[in-house]
Coordinates of all heavy atoms in Angstrom, one line a residue:
A1 N 31.0 -61.6 -66.3 CA 30.6 -60.4 -67.1 C 30.7 -60.6 -68.6 O 31.1 -59.7 -69.4 CB 31.4 -59.2 -66.7
G2 N 30.4 -61.9 -69.0 CA 30.4 -62.2 -70.4 C 31.8 -62.4 -71.0 O 31.9 -62.6 -72.3
I3 N 32.8 -62.4 -70.2 CA 34.2 -62.6 -70.7 C 34.7 -63.9 -70.2 O 34.6 -64.3 -69.1 CB 35.2 -61.5 -70.1 CG1 34.7 -60.1 -70.6 CG2 36.6 -61.7 -70.6 CD1 35.4 -58.9 -69.9
E4 N 35.2 -64.7 -71.2 CA 35.8 -66.0 -70.9 C 37.2 -65.9 -70.5 O 38.0 -65.4 -71.2 CB 35.6 -66.9 -72.1 CG 36.1 -68.3 -71.9 CD 35.9 -69.2 -73.2 OE1 36.8 -69.1 -74.0 OE2 34.9 -69.9 -73.3
F5 N 37.6 -66.5 -69.3 CA 38.9 -66.5 -68.9 C 39.4 -68.0 -68.9 O 38.8 -68.8 -68.2 CB 39.0 -66.0 -67.4 CG 38.7 -64.5 -67.3 CD1 37.3 -64.1 -67.1 CD2 39.6 -63.5 -67.5 CE1 36.9 -62.8 -67.0 CE2 39.2 -62.1 -67.4 CZ 37.9 -61.8 -67.2
V6 N 40.5 -68.2 -69.6 CA 41.0 -69.5 -69.8 C 42.3 -69.6 -69.0 O 43.3 -69.0 -69.3 CB 41.3 -69.9 -71.3 CG1 41.9 -71.3 -71.4 CG2 40.0 -69.8 -72.0
C7 N 42.3 -70.4 -67.9 CA 43.5 -70.5 -67.0 C 44.1 -71.9 -67.1 O 43.4 -72.9 -67.2 CB 43.1 -70.1 -65.6 SG 42.5 -68.5 -65.4
G8 N 45.4 -71.9 -66.9 CA 46.1 -73.2 -66.9 C 47.6 -72.9 -67.1 O 48.1 -71.9 -66.5
K9 N 48.3 -73.7 -67.9 CA 49.7 -73.6 -68.1 C 50.1 -73.5 -69.6 O 49.5 -74.3 -70.3 CB 50.5 -74.7 -67.4 CG 50.5 -74.6 -65.9 CD 51.4 -75.7 -65.3 CE 51.5 -75.6 -63.8 NZ 52.3 -74.4 -63.4
I10 N 51.0 -72.7 -69.9 CA 51.7 -72.7 -71.2 C 53.2 -72.6 -70.9 O 53.6 -71.7 -70.2 CB 51.3 -71.5 -72.1 CG1 49.8 -71.5 -72.4 CG2 52.1 -71.5 -73.4 CD1 49.3 -70.3 -73.2
A11 N 53.9 -73.6 -71.4 CA 55.4 -73.7 -71.2 C 55.7 -73.6 -69.7 O 56.6 -72.9 -69.3 CB 56.0 -72.6 -72.0
D12 N 55.0 -74.4 -68.9 CA 55.2 -74.5 -67.5 C 55.0 -73.2 -66.7 O 55.4 -73.0 -65.6 CB 56.6 -75.0 -67.2 CG 56.8 -76.4 -67.7 OD1 55.9 -77.2 -67.6 OD2 57.9 -76.7 -68.1
T13 N 54.3 -72.3 -67.4 CA 53.9 -71.0 -66.7 C 52.4 -70.9 -66.5 O 51.7 -71.2 -67.4 CB 54.4 -69.8 -67.6 OG1 55.8 -69.9 -67.8 CG2 54.0 -68.4 -67.0
D14 N 52.0 -70.5 -65.3 CA 50.6 -70.3 -65.0 C 50.1 -69.0 -65.7 O 50.7 -67.9 -65.6 CB 50.4 -70.1 -63.5 CG 50.7 -71.3 -62.7 OD1 50.4 -72.4 -63.2 OD2 51.2 -71.2 -61.6
V15 N 49.1 -69.2 -66.5 CA 48.6 -68.1 -67.3 C 47.1 -68.0 -67.2 O 46.4 -69.0 -66.9 CB 48.9 -68.3 -68.8 CG1 50.4 -68.2 -69.0 CG2 48.3 -69.5 -69.4
C16 N 46.5 -66.8 -67.5 CA 45.1 -66.6 -67.7 C 44.9 -65.8 -68.9 O 45.4 -64.7 -69.0 CB 44.5 -65.9 -66.5 SG 42.8 -65.6 -66.5
V17 N 44.3 -66.4 -69.9 CA 44.1 -65.8 -71.2 C 42.7 -65.3 -71.4 O 41.8 -66.1 -71.1 CB 44.5 -66.7 -72.4 CG1 44.5 -66.0 -73.7 CG2 45.9 -67.3 -72.1
A18 N 42.5 -64.1 -71.9 CA 41.1 -63.6 -72.1 C 41.0 -62.7 -73.3 O 42.0 -62.0 -73.7 CB 40.7 -62.8 -70.9
Q19 N 39.9 -62.8 -74.0 CA 39.5 -61.9 -75.1 C 38.6 -60.8 -74.5 O 37.5 -61.1 -74.1 CB 38.8 -62.6 -76.2 CG 38.4 -61.8 -77.4 CD 37.5 -62.5 -78.3 OE1 37.4 -63.7 -78.3 NE2 36.7 -61.7 -79.1
C20 N 39.0 -59.5 -74.6 CA 38.3 -58.5 -73.9 C 37.2 -57.8 -74.8 O 36.3 -57.2 -74.4 CB 39.2 -57.4 -73.4 SG 40.2 -56.5 -74.6
S21 N 37.4 -58.0 -76.2 CA 36.6 -57.2 -77.2 C 37.2 -55.8 -77.4 O 37.8 -55.3 -76.4 CB 35.1 -57.1 -76.9 OG 34.5 -58.4 -76.9
P22 N 37.1 -55.3 -78.5 CA 37.8 -54.0 -78.8 C 37.2 -52.8 -78.0 O 36.0 -52.8 -77.6 CB 37.5 -53.7 -80.3 CG 37.2 -55.1 -80.9 CD 36.5 -55.8 -79.8
G23 N 38.1 -51.8 -77.7 CA 37.7 -50.6 -77.1 C 38.2 -50.5 -75.6 O 38.4 -51.5 -75.0
K24 N 38.3 -49.3 -75.2 CA 38.9 -49.0 -73.8 C 38.0 -49.5 -72.7 O 38.5 -50.0 -71.7 CB 39.2 -47.5 -73.7 CG 40.3 -47.0 -74.7 CD 40.8 -45.6 -74.3 CE 39.6 -44.7 -74.3 NZ 40.0 -43.3 -73.9
V25 N 36.7 -49.4 -72.8 CA 35.8 -49.8 -71.7 C 35.9 -51.3 -71.6 O 36.0 -51.9 -70.5 CB 34.4 -49.3 -71.9 CG1 33.5 -50.0 -70.8 CG2 34.3 -47.8 -71.8
N26 N 35.8 -52.0 -72.7 CA 35.9 -53.5 -72.7 C 37.2 -53.9 -72.1 O 37.3 -54.9 -71.3 CB 35.7 -54.0 -74.1 CG 34.3 -53.9 -74.6 OD1 33.4 -54.0 -73.8 ND2 34.1 -53.7 -75.9
A27 N 38.3 -53.3 -72.5 CA 39.6 -53.6 -72.0 C 39.8 -53.4 -70.5 O 40.3 -54.2 -69.8 CB 40.7 -52.8 -72.8
A28 N 39.3 -52.3 -70.1 CA 39.4 -52.0 -68.6 C 38.5 -52.9 -67.8 O 39.0 -53.4 -66.7 CB 38.9 -50.5 -68.4
L29 N 37.3 -53.3 -68.3 CA 36.5 -54.2 -67.6 C 37.2 -55.6 -67.5 O 37.2 -56.2 -66.4 CB 35.2 -54.4 -68.3 CG 34.2 -55.5 -67.9 CD1 33.7 -55.1 -66.5 CD2 33.0 -55.6 -68.8
C30 N 37.7 -56.0 -68.6 CA 38.4 -57.3 -68.6 C 39.6 -57.3 -67.6 O 39.8 -58.3 -66.9 CB 38.8 -57.7 -70.0 SG 39.8 -59.2 -70.1
T31 N 40.4 -56.3 -67.7 CA 41.6 -56.2 -66.8 C 41.3 -56.2 -65.4 O 41.9 -56.9 -64.6 CB 42.4 -54.9 -67.2 OG1 42.7 -54.9 -68.6 CG2 43.7 -54.9 -66.5
Q32 N 40.3 -55.4 -65.0 CA 40.0 -55.3 -63.6 C 39.4 -56.6 -63.1 O 39.7 -57.1 -62.0 CB 39.0 -54.2 -63.3 CG 38.8 -53.9 -61.8 CD 40.0 -53.5 -61.1 OE1 40.6 -52.4 -61.4 NE2 40.5 -54.2 -60.1
M33 N 38.5 -57.3 -63.9 CA 38.0 -58.6 -63.6 C 39.1 -59.6 -63.4 O 39.0 -60.4 -62.5 CB 37.0 -59.0 -64.7 CG 36.1 -60.1 -64.3 SD 34.8 -59.6 -63.2 CE 33.8 -58.5 -64.3
M34 N 40.0 -59.6 -64.3 CA 41.1 -60.6 -64.2 C 41.9 -60.4 -63.0 O 42.3 -61.4 -62.3 CB 42.0 -60.4 -65.5 CG 43.2 -61.4 -65.5 SD 44.2 -61.1 -67.0 CE 43.2 -62.0 -68.2
I35 N 42.2 -59.1 -62.6 CA 42.9 -58.9 -61.4 C 42.2 -59.3 -60.1 O 42.7 -59.8 -59.2 CB 43.3 -57.4 -61.3 CG1 44.3 -57.0 -62.4 CG2 43.9 -57.0 -60.0 CD1 44.6 -55.5 -62.6
D36 N 40.9 -59.0 -60.1 CA 40.0 -59.3 -59.0 C 39.8 -60.8 -58.8 O 39.7 -61.2 -57.6 CB 38.7 -58.5 -59.1 CG 38.8 -57.0 -58.9 OD1 39.8 -56.6 -58.4 OD2 37.8 -56.3 -59.3
K37 N 39.6 -61.5 -59.9 CA 39.2 -62.9 -59.8 C 40.3 -63.9 -59.8 O 40.1 -65.1 -59.4 CB 38.2 -63.2 -60.9 CG 37.0 -62.4 -61.0 CD 36.0 -62.7 -59.8 CE 34.7 -61.9 -59.9 NZ 33.8 -62.2 -58.8

């Protein structure tokens, strides 16, 4: 959905880092996508 998710490790911790863009709809979209995928 146009959001880049960068996954891997930081300090031996599994992470997924994303830039959602400003605003509540963008933030909600990114969060749900991250949880689902």
Side-chain angles (χ1 to χ4, degrees):
I3 301 170
E4 182 181 82
F5 296 88
V6 179
C7 298
K9 287 185 178 291
I10 299 177
D12 296 325
T13 300
D14 292 325
V15 298
C16 181
V17 185
Q19 177 192 342
C20 65
S21 295
K24 294 192 301 178
V25 173
N26 288 326
L29 173 65
C30 177
T31 306
Q32 190 63 60
M33 194 76 66
M34 182 178 279
I35 292 170
D36 288 345
K37 298 294 185 179

